[in-house]
Amino acid sequence: MTQTHSPLERKARLFYQLTLFSLIGLELLFVGWFLIINPPQHPFTIFAIHAVPLLLFLPGLLKKNPRTFVWICFVILLYFCQGVMNAFALPLMQGYLGLTETLLTVSLFCCSMMAARYLAQVERTTQQTNGHQTGEQ
């Protein structure tokens, strides 16, 4: 049996998937940058400082909680600032890594905001539909 999804649900699913893709891309960038390409003096500490705060949002993102998507947008602004500074202040290769970080943070920010919007709308319409169904009985 096929299940039909409304355009709103398709948009919510698309931006949810793009949010997860951007988050995974950012985490992989940190793995490559701090553990493989240009490891600092204490690579695992620096990696943990960058990666763990974003991973704390993962349970809420997987549960599709719209508030989690909004909160990750606030936090990702710090990573955006760091990425811009790295892109302009560091030498060539690290500057490109900073530019990549900036692009991934912009993608994560935009996709998270759109996912929060559409997931909240889907949640609201589902509650209204369930409210009308229980009210009719």
Side-chain angles (χ1 to χ4, degrees), residues 27 36 48 51 56 71 76-77 84 86 99 116-117 129:
E27 293 290 342
I36 300 169
L56 293 175
W71 274 103
I76 205 65
L77 292 175
V84 170
N86 288 338
L99 180 62
R117 175 184 179 192
T129 304

Side-chain angles (χ1 to χ4, degrees), residues 34-35 42-49:
F34 300 120
L35 300 179
H42 302 286
F44 292 105
T45 304
I46 301 299
F47 170 73
I49 289 171

Side-chain angles (χ1 to χ4, degrees), residues 5-137:
H5 295 287
S6 70
L8 192 61
E9 290 172 324
R10 284 194 298 269
K11 289 177 184 177
R13 186 178 55 235
L14 171 68
F15 285 108
Y16 168 75
Q17 291 170 344
L18 288 173
T19 297
L20 291 180
F21 180 74
S22 298
L23 180 63
I24 291 168
L26 195 57
E27 293 290 342
L28 289 175
L29 174 71
F30 292 147
V31 167
W33 189 346
F34 300 120
L35 300 179
I36 300 169
I37 296 171
N38 189 23
Q41 187 175 3
H42 302 286
F44 292 105
T45 304
I46 301 299
F47 170 73
I49 289 171
H50 285 80
V52 171
L54 293 177
L55 290 176
L56 293 175
F57 290 100
L58 198 56
L61 292 175
L62 294 176
K63 291 179 186 174
K64 297 184 180 180
N65 183 350
R67 285 185 172 207
T68 306
F69 287 86
V70 172
W71 274 103
I72 200 169
C73 288
F74 292 124
V75 172
I76 205 65
L77 292 175
L78 299 171
Y79 290 86
F80 173 78
C81 292
Q82 176 191 350
V84 170
M85 289 187 320
N86 288 338
F88 287 103
L90 295 178
L92 189 65
M93 181 59 183
Q94 292 176 358
Y96 287 136
L97 293 172
L99 180 62
T100 305
E101 179 182 7
T102 302
L103 294 174
L104 284 169
T105 57
V106 168
S107 172
L108 181 56
F109 181 86
C110 294
C111 293
S112 294
M113 285 306 295
M114 296 307 291
R117 175 184 179 192
Y118 291 128
L119 287 170
Q121 288 177 355
V122 166
E123 189 175 283
R124 205 173 314 121
T125 57
T126 302
Q127 289 174 352
Q128 289 173 354
T129 304
N130 290 341
H132 290 326
Q133 288 176 354
T134 56
E136 294 174 356
Q137 294 177 359

